[in-house]
Amino acid sequence: MANTSGCHTPTSRNCWGEYSIDTDYYTTFPETGKTVEVWLSVEETACSPDGYERTCMTFNGTVPGPLITADWGDDLVIHVTNNMKSNGTSVHWHGVRMLNNTQNDGVPGISQCPIAPGETYTYQFQCTQYGTSWYHSHFSLQYAEGLWGPMILRGPATANYDEDLGTLVLQDWSHTPIFGAWANKQEWGITHELDNILINGTNTFDCSDISDPNCTGKGKKFEATFQHGKKYLIRVFNVAIDSYFHFHIDGHNFTVVAMDFVPVEPYETDRIMISSGQRYDIIVDATAEPGDYWLRSGWIPASTCQGVANSHPKDGTGIIRYERKLMGTGNPTTTDTVDVPKACQDEPLEHLVPHVKRDVGTIVDTIVEDVNVRFIHSGMFKWTINSSYLDIDWAEPTLKKALHESSSATFPSEYNVLPLNDGKTDSFQLHNPPRRDTAMLPPHGYLAVAIQLDNPGAWLVHCHIAWHASMGLALEILESADSISISSAERKAFDDTCKAWTSWWNTPAPWPKEDSGV
């Protein structure tokens, strides 16, 4: 834990040593001098998160992978070894601002070549933000097979709480291996129905009418314990393949204090709308009548969010038990009083007010990108942006070409590269809009995104519905290619990784590339 000089107590969560919730973390952050070192092994192992046994892709043998924790201002050094036999991989640090550090963003075909089997790659970055996030493979659909883990970067908050309960993760889950579902259904535009919903990597599944020996019925519900009168910080996020949730707890309201990595002005609600990749930090005041309460993922059906399918959506529940002399052990009997949303959209924008205020300044340029769908000549279903779908070459990442050729580099149309360079034009001002790394594009609507040009590099912008990203719904931003600079040691590691990947891939690799690559 960082030296917070006696502050950041239950009555002063806004304080963080010499810094506070008012510090503009875009320009100012602690230099702790502390390095947090982590070792991750990518492995294919048996798993059974809900009582159905199958093979998963894991970090260190578990789904989810180990929690990574650090303090605001710490340096993270993370060694990733690929111990799979027949897959490349990479690790992306979702939402982390890789300031002048594009080579550590972890996206294969964009900022690096994949890590070949038997090889190790070391990622290094400073925690200039604080809040909640997750790390995951960005190699094709691997995170949907279990290759992800939670991450907490500790820092101040906009409201007080007594105890940090850590992460609470919502996830849809398939008993059929995802790559099989992709090949048989999704790449042809046929929806694959997912089998269950996990909360913090666990749930039950009813095997009483199933003869499949893999169905053991040994799953368990997620449980947490409240002490009456305490306030709990809970870090809720969604790592789903293709599910949207309205998370809530029977009998409780809560206060939202952060979205993604951005502290917000606190607001009270009885649910949060949360799409894949998004995070909300909430504070629950445990003042309900002591007892047992259902915690609900609140899976939103296809009638609201078109194209989703889950065979057990109402089973996405966990249990909150109040500490008392005679603790309950059975299922709660509370009822769900929160209505299903009528629209597939984000939290109301008027609620998402960043605490550290920043206006959109001079607009450099405006670009309109149209999202659509089409079938290609082979009959495969593709999502397109301005009629082009992403299809990268893992062995020729965008950063590699940018380092060699800078602003003169040209890319195949299927790389969907959007060059951005600084300039000046006068345009409208936007006062302190919501700032986040994952936002909902509403159906038949639009999403206006302002990007501050202060971080040269190759960056991926994509849909976080895993099927859609695999179908090409993504584009690249190549920002100020002439200003990209990496150290000679990191350039060597970059080049060595590409050489090892090319050597393994040309062996040849046991599997063809069947999707966008991300």
Side-chain angles (χ1 to χ4, degrees):
M1 187 74 177
N3 178 11
T4 51
S5 302
C7 72
H8 197 65
T9 68
T11 58
S12 61
R13 296 296 184 186
N14 63 322
C15 177
W16 194 259
E18 298 176 4
Y19 304 86
S20 76
I21 195 67
D22 299 323
T23 302
D24 185 348
Y25 45 85
Y26 292 97
T27 60
T28 306
F29 41 85
E31 297 285 350
T32 66
K34 185 179 77 176
T35 297
V36 177
E37 199 162 9
V38 178
W39 285 262
L40 297 176
S41 171
V42 179
E43 307 167 0
E44 291 173 297
T45 57
C47 73
S48 181
D50 62 352
Y52 186 95
E53 295 182 350
R54 51 157 298 190
T55 299
C56 298
M57 294 180 178
T58 71
F59 288 111
N60 295 3
T62 64
V63 178
L67 170 67
I68 294 176
T69 58
D71 291 325
W72 185 23
D74 287 351
D75 291 296
L76 271 167
V77 176
I78 305 171
H79 311 283
V80 179
T81 300
N82 182 3
N83 286 311
M84 296 189 292
K85 303 298 183 186
S86 58
N87 267 282
T89 196
S90 73
V91 184
H92 174 65
W93 319 95
H94 186 99
V96 173
R97 186 188 185 203
M98 294 291 173
L99 184 60
N100 297 312
N101 197 14
T102 185
Q103 67 277 10
N104 282 291
D105 198 40
V107 184
I110 313 295
S111 58
Q112 69 170 91
C113 292
I115 307 167
E119 299 293 325
T120 297
Y121 192 86
T122 296
Y123 297 92
Q124 303 179 64
F125 54 90
Q126 187 177 13
C127 305
T128 63
Q129 306 147 289
Y130 52 88
T132 308
S133 196
W134 56 306
Y135 61 95
H136 61 85
S137 169
H138 226 307
F139 187 98
S140 189
L141 290 159
Q142 288 181 350
Y143 92 76
E145 292 282 67
L147 201 50
W148 67 273
M151 184 162 56
I152 294 175
L153 307 182
R154 293 177 292 237
T158 56
N160 291 325
Y161 58 88
D162 295 299
E163 185 177 338
D164 185 344
L165 284 187
T167 60
L168 194 149
V169 189
L170 312 177
Q171 176 185 11
D172 49 20
W173 187 247
S174 175
H175 294 164
T176 301
I178 287 298
F179 285 97
W182 166 259
N184 294 328
K185 287 188 174 181
Q186 284 294 152
E187 69 173 329
W188 310 103
I190 304 168
T191 298
H192 169 67
E193 185 173 85
L194 297 157
D195 296 290
N196 208 351
I197 292 166
L198 307 180
I199 295 182
N200 263 12
T202 189
N203 203 348
T204 56
F205 190 81
D206 185 1
C207 296
S208 58
D209 295 326
I210 299 175
S211 59
D212 186 342
N214 292 317
C215 203
T216 67
K218 295 180 180 178
K220 61 180 181 179
K221 289 287 185 185
F222 165 78
E223 295 191 16
T225 301
F226 283 176
Q227 289 183 10
H228 192 271
K230 276 194 171 184
K231 292 183 178 181
Y232 294 95
L233 176 68
I234 304 177
R235 304 163 182 270
V236 184
F237 60 97
N238 179 354
V239 302
I241 305 164
D242 188 15
S243 291
Y244 191 53
F245 299 106
H246 66 120
F247 170 84
H248 51 287
I249 304 172
D250 289 355
H252 293 74
N253 286 2
F254 44 78
T255 300
V256 179
V257 295
M259 59 175 174
D260 299 349
F261 273 127
V262 179
V264 298
E265 299 298 339
Y267 69 92
E268 186 174 335
T269 183
D270 62 356
R271 97 233 359 231
I272 43 173
M273 308 280 286
I274 183 165
S275 63
S276 182
Q278 291 183 329
R279 293 91 64 208
Y280 287 96
D281 291 357
I282 66 172
I283 295 174
V284 183
D285 195 352
T287 55
E289 182 71 23
D292 301 329
Y293 295 83
W294 284 118
L295 174 153
R296 303 180 190 272
S297 66
W299 185 84
I300 299 179
S303 58
T304 301
C305 292
Q306 184 178 3
V308 299
N310 194 295
S311 57
H312 295 86
K314 293 184 179 180
D315 292 343
T317 54
I319 300 172
I320 297 295
R321 301 193 191 278
Y322 274 75
E323 190 175 283
R324 53 200 192 275
K325 286 185 178 180
L326 295 175
M327 291 287 290
T329 57
N331 286 338
T333 58
T334 56
T335 56
D336 188 353
T337 60
V338 175
D339 294 332
V340 175
K342 294 181 173 59
C344 198
Q345 59 191 17
D346 273 335
E347 282 287 279
L349 295 183
E350 61 269 21
H351 290 172
L352 304 179
V353 180
H355 179 77
V356 174
K357 294 175 173 51
R358 283 207 155 210
D359 295 339
V360 176
T362 301
I363 303 297
V364 171
D365 198 3
T366 57
I367 301 170
V368 177
E369 302 285 344
D370 293 323
V371 175
N372 214 322
V373 295
R374 68 184 175 98
F375 286 93
I376 60 174
H377 59 85
S378 61
M380 293 181 181
F381 188 87
K382 297 292 183 183
W383 284 88
T384 64
I385 297 178
N386 282 357
S387 301
S388 180
Y389 56 88
L390 185 81
D391 186 10
I392 52 87
D393 180 349
W394 286 319
E396 294 295 328
T398 303
L399 181 58
K400 179 180 178 181
K401 200 171 182 68
L403 290 171
H404 280 294
E405 303 174 33
S406 299
S407 59
S408 63
T410 58
F411 299 90
S413 61
E414 60 267 24
Y415 269 47
N416 268 11
V417 173
L418 184 65
L420 291 182
N421 297 287
D422 203 358
K424 292 184 179 179
T425 61
D426 293 327
S427 189
F428 59 88
Q429 300 287 320
L430 291 177
H431 175 65
N432 199 31
R435 299 190 303 272
R436 65 186 320 165
D437 50 65
T438 310
M440 173 66 77
L441 172 61
H444 312 294
Y446 68 91
L447 177 67
V449 180
I451 301 170
Q452 184 173 358
L453 300 180
D454 64 351
N455 196 7
W459 312 105
L460 180 67
V461 179
H462 67 100
C463 181
H464 226 290
I465 296 172
W467 304 128
H468 294 180
S470 280
M471 292 172 179
L473 187 49
L475 59 81
E476 297 182 57
I477 291 176
L478 182 58
E479 180 183 336
S480 304
D482 287 334
S483 299
I484 297 173
S485 176
I486 68 176
S487 70
S488 57
E490 287 183 310
R491 180 62 182 268
K492 184 179 185 304
F494 179 95
D495 291 340
D496 288 348
T497 300
C498 285
K499 289 175 184 175
W501 170 255
T502 299
S503 176
W504 181 82
W505 183 254
N506 291 340
T507 301
W511 310 105
K513 177 175 174 290
E514 295 181 328
D515 69 354
S516 67
V518 300

